[in-house]
Amino acid sequence: MSESAPSLLGQCQRLLENTYGQPAGVELADFIIGRDRFRDLRERAGEGTAGEFWDGARFFYYVTGGDLRMAIFYSDELIRRLEDLDPRRGLGDANVLEFVVFLEELSHALHTTLTFRTDRRRILRRSFPAELELHARIDVFLALVFFLLRLEGGRRLSPAAREWVLGNVFDRWSGSYRSPELARRYRVAERLGRRAIAYLDSLPRTRRLDEVRRLRVLSLREKSRLLGG
């Protein structure tokens, strides 16, 4: 990755850490891998589902010998787009997809790291990937709002801008999946993610950050119960 990409990565990591009031304890840029290593890990993940993921970015994790192993892959094409159209200078249809994916992988890595420190058994649950996807929806929504407000110098998004954000966070996940497990994972993440945003909007602004942090520590079942899922 070039010099500007880690700068964006570092800024986004700090934004996520500030949101949850906890440092990752590691620099997520250190876990970036190249395409050869990406191919190796994709094969390890299993050919049955590898074809259903976009090859522009992926997050991998596994626990071995009591240690957490993580890797983040971003394609050269994705990085070039974010370098040419830096979302810190402007955010629109030309770069939002790449930025959403960029943020999602960082969100996955941060929540995996934080969870491993406090509840290692939780990472091994079958529901944990769905948790990661749910938190990615929440994190990306909040991050897009943050960047748009900084760019526009406002305090609140217009209704049109808000719909644009929601569409880019949720609507593009409405495709079908051959794997029932993947289909369920993304269906749960979309349903609960939309409800989480609506729930946060229903709260006074002074309570929202605390509630985002509380959501992180709840189990998927507890999140679903709270959000009426």
Side-chain angles (χ1 to χ4, degrees):
M1 300 176 73
S2 71
E3 185 176 350
S4 62
S7 177
L8 175 62
L9 191 152
Q11 184 175 345
C12 291
Q13 177 179 342
R14 300 287 95 78
L15 176 62
L16 292 175
E17 289 173 330
N18 290 339
T19 298
Y20 292 97
Q22 295 187 59
V26 294
E27 290 300 322
L28 298 180
D30 293 341
F31 296 89
I32 301 294
I33 60 172
R35 185 164 290 277
D36 288 343
R37 181 59 175 154
F38 163 66
R39 291 193 184 102
D40 292 340
L41 290 174
R42 184 178 59 183
E43 291 178 6
R44 175 177 177 149
E47 291 299 327
T49 59
E52 299 202 63
F53 289 99
W54 182 46
D55 284 351
R58 285 284 299 279
F59 170 67
F60 301 91
Y61 71 94
Y62 57 94
V63 177
T64 178
D67 295 323
L68 174 65
R69 307 294 186 188
M70 300 193 309
I72 306 170
F73 170 74
Y74 294 121
S75 69
D76 292 340
E77 294 78 11
L78 184 145
I79 294 302
R80 279 197 296 270
R81 176 58 64 95
L82 293 180
E83 290 174 342
D84 293 341
L85 300 170
D86 191 324
R88 292 167 296 183
R89 296 196 299 267
L91 187 56
D93 291 337
N95 63 352
V96 67
L97 173 61
E98 289 80 4
F99 193 40
V100 165
V101 174
F102 183 83
L103 289 165
E104 286 173 344
E105 310 313 318
L106 287 185
S107 172
H108 294 341
L110 177 72
H111 286 289
T112 301
T113 300
L114 296 180
T115 303
F116 183 75
R117 291 212 309 250
T118 58
D119 188 355
R120 297 186 178 189
R121 291 178 298 178
R122 187 168 180 169
I123 289 182
L124 303 177
R125 295 176 187 168
R126 291 185 62 184
S127 61
F128 187 65
E131 283 194 60
L132 291 182
E133 295 298 339
L134 168 57
H135 283 295
R137 303 296 183 276
I138 298 170
D139 291 345
V140 173
F141 176 85
L142 295 175
L144 290 183
V145 170
F146 172 83
F147 275 87
L148 281 176
L149 289 178
R150 276 188 41 165
L151 288 165
E152 297 175 0
R155 292 179 56 85
R156 182 171 298 180
L157 291 184
S158 69
R162 180 181 173 81
E163 286 303 310
W164 182 80
V165 170
L166 287 170
N168 281 290
V169 173
F170 293 106
D171 291 346
R172 70 186 185 85
W173 294 101
S174 59
S176 60
Y177 296 89
R178 295 189 303 273
S179 164
E181 183 176 352
L182 279 182
R184 179 183 178 279
R185 181 188 309 173
Y186 289 118
R187 187 167 59 248
V188 167
E190 179 177 351
R191 183 180 72 250
L192 293 183
R194 288 183 184 276
R195 292 182 180 183
I197 299 306
Y199 171 66
L200 293 172
D201 282 345
S202 72
L203 300 174
R205 295 175 67 87
T206 54
R207 284 188 52 199
R208 291 175 189 171
L209 185 59
D210 287 340
E211 205 64 10
V212 168
R213 293 173 178 178
R214 185 168 79 94
L215 273 171
R216 190 191 72 78
V217 300
L218 297 178
S219 69
L220 187 62
R221 180 174 296 180
E222 290 169 331
K223 290 180 178 73
S224 181
R225 188 180 301 121
L226 173 67
L227 300 172

